[in-house]
Amino acid sequence: MISDRKLEHLLICKNYDVEFKDKTTGFEDIELIHNALPEVDKNEIDLSTSVFGKKLDSPLFITAITGGHPAAKEINEQLAIVSEENNIALGVGSQRAACEHPELEDTYSVVRENAPDCLLIGNIGAPQLHLANKAVEILDADILAIHLNPLQESIQPEGDLDARGYLESISEITDIVDIPVMAKETGCGISAETAKQLVDAGVSFIDIEGAGGTSWAAVETYRSEDRYLGELFWDWGIPTAVSTAEVASAVEVPIISSGGIRNGLEAAKAIALGADSVGMALPFLKKSVSQDELNQFIHYFNDSLRIAMFLVGANTIEELKQSRLVISGKTKQWLDERGINTKNYSRR
Ligand code: FMN
């Protein structure tokens, strides 16, 4: 039953090591260029950003985590309260369970009740065309995310392994819902080619969710009797820094960089690479034990982003996007091979 699976995912992510083992996000290969004369008042730095007409106080998104199990209701309530307080965007986990089992609806509707003004993002799978409008209605969503998770489906004992027709279904979803549709991966990243296909299908927002943070092969390994395949694919995917640069080079729609981002310094690098916002899931699940922990985490994130902006002389997120950076190591190698000129970043 989906609802039991949701609880297992929460418990595994809270209590086990589910992050990539040897592969990293690639942000360690990215250096913003220090500006010894920033000519900026740090206290005046503006972190605000606008997403489909809604003004947010920070480019930080809490990306899809949960819902669909009574235990998830409390987590969603906590996340909704801090999102409203800090005026940041919040995504919920897959809404399929609630669309099919009305008794689970309140595990999602609790979010809007506690976050009346927040930018909220609903969540369904690519083949779930028939659930799209119901998902939007249950959450009163501003954006509908369609999750892409072929790795998880491959390792999950009950996985859906026929991925034919997904692009067409995504295109139909963009036609039938009257809010913007986002495509999001779940920790393996999105390539330049896939980003173009998604935008051609009508998607107006991409959350890249690259490799280096939570590994869904890892999560499913803990649920499987046989660990062989999960262990083998634990570190599969496009590193987050690479995926961010690939997608930014390929399409014009707004981009969320995510997957293993853990602080405002990495966020600053992601934005200078071309992202408009950044997202995190696992840290918010771990901090959802109290409002104080969640608020402190958001405070550290915003302040570390502000310091990075001060040190490159950026007053706004738009100015940060133009900041120069140097890309080295494996990340440079990858981008070189893929035809992305890294000098466009270092000599802007
Ligand atoms: N992503 C979805 O699109 N739908 C989901 O239902 C969903 N459930 C998740 C449940 C948990 C407990 C966690 C930790 C993540 C979940 N994700 C889901 C994936 C996250 O949104 C994100 O893509 C991934 O965890 C990588 O980001 P991170 O490294 O910051 O955790």
Side-chain angles (χ1 to χ4, degrees):
M1 157 114 190
I2 305 182
S3 183
D4 297 335
R5 192 157 80 221
K6 297 283 150 201
L7 180 62
E8 283 179 46
H9 287 156
L10 280 179
L11 294 175
I12 289 169
C13 289
K14 265 195 142 163
N15 299 315
Y16 292 88
D17 187 358
V18 293
E19 295 190 85
F20 279 67
K21 278 186 191 146
D22 297 321
K23 185 176 279 177
T24 57
T25 57
F27 287 115
E28 68 284 1
D29 290 335
I30 315 272
E31 291 277 349
L32 287 157
I33 298 184
H34 175 64
N35 182 348
L37 276 174
E39 287 287 331
V40 165
D41 177 348
K42 177 180 169 270
N43 293 320
E44 298 275 306
I45 289 175
D46 181 7
L47 298 187
S48 72
T49 179
S50 201
V51 179
F52 297 113
K54 225 172 203 179
K55 195 168 179 211
L56 306 172
D57 287 352
S58 166
L60 172 63
F61 279 58
I62 301 179
T63 59
I65 299 177
T66 198
H69 186 279
K73 184 176 172 184
E74 200 182 323
I75 295 172
N76 273 344
E77 184 179 0
Q78 297 260 16
L79 295 175
I81 293 169
V82 291
S83 300
E84 182 76 13
E85 240 175 76
N86 292 278
N87 190 24
I88 59 172
L90 170 62
V92 296
S94 170
Q95 294 176 261
R96 182 175 165 193
C99 292
E100 290 172 351
H101 303 276
E103 70 278 13
L104 295 170
E105 275 186 24
D106 67 337
T107 67
Y108 297 94
S109 56
V110 68
V111 174
R112 182 55 90 197
E113 280 159 28
N114 287 280
D117 298 318
C118 254
L119 184 87
L120 296 184
I121 305 157
N123 192 293
I124 57 170
Q128 289 149 19
L129 173 65
H130 59 297
L131 304 181
N133 277 314
K134 181 78 185 158
V136 172
E137 184 198 312
I138 291 172
L139 186 68
D140 184 19
D142 299 286
I143 295 170
L144 180 63
I146 302 177
H147 62 254
L148 308 172
N149 62 339
L151 172 63
Q152 182 189 8
E153 300 288 356
S154 306
I155 307 300
Q156 178 172 287
E158 56 281 74
D160 178 0
L161 298 172
D162 183 358
R164 289 174 299 179
Y166 279 17
L167 197 60
E168 201 181 319
S169 177
I170 290 170
S171 174
E172 285 180 48
I173 294 171
T174 67
D175 286 340
I176 65 163
V177 299
D178 56 11
I179 56 173
V181 171
M182 163 197 288
K184 87 177 273 294
E185 237 289 342
T186 45
C188 299
I190 290 179
S191 68
E193 294 81 359
T194 304
K196 278 186 198 145
Q197 285 178 296
L198 289 165
V199 171
D200 287 347
V203 159
S204 43
F205 207 1
I206 295 183
D207 180 358
I208 62 123
E209 299 288 353
T214 305
S215 156
W216 278 86
V219 178
E220 295 300 343
T221 302
Y222 292 112
R223 295 184 60 238
S224 307
E225 279 173 20
D226 181 349
R227 294 174 62 104
Y228 176 77
L229 293 171
E231 299 263 9
L232 185 62
F233 286 92
W234 194 289
D235 273 0
W236 173 272
I238 309 170
T240 297
V242 169
S243 178
T244 304
E246 285 215 8
V247 176
S249 74
V251 295
E252 299 289 326
V253 300
I255 298 169
I256 300 178
S257 176
S258 54
I261 288 191
R262 299 293 178 252
N263 54 58
L265 175 54
E266 288 164 347
K269 295 177 180 182
I271 291 168
L273 272 178
D276 297 272
S277 319
V278 297
M280 277 190 249
L282 190 63
F284 281 107
L285 172 63
K286 294 204 164 161
K287 301 285 178 194
S288 64
V289 284
S290 81
Q291 293 292 313
D292 282 352
E293 287 213 21
L294 285 165
N295 275 318
Q296 193 190 47
F297 185 69
I298 295 169
H299 169 77
Y300 278 134
F301 174 90
N302 283 340
D303 212 35
S304 52
L305 174 57
R306 216 175 265 117
I307 292 174
M309 289 171 69
F310 181 57
L311 295 177
V312 297
N315 283 290
T316 61
I317 297 297
E318 274 314 305
E319 285 181 20
L320 176 61
K321 276 187 105 171
Q322 303 311 319
S323 297
R324 283 181 282 272
L325 47 80
V326 171
I327 306 175
S328 62
K330 256 192 174 170
T331 305
K332 175 170 166 49
Q333 243 175 29
W334 184 306
L335 295 176
D336 282 349
E337 282 302 310
R338 299 277 288 155
I340 294 169
N341 186 353
T342 54
K343 290 198 172 53
N344 290 342
Y345 288 104
S346 55
R347 300 183 189 176
R348 290 168 158 158

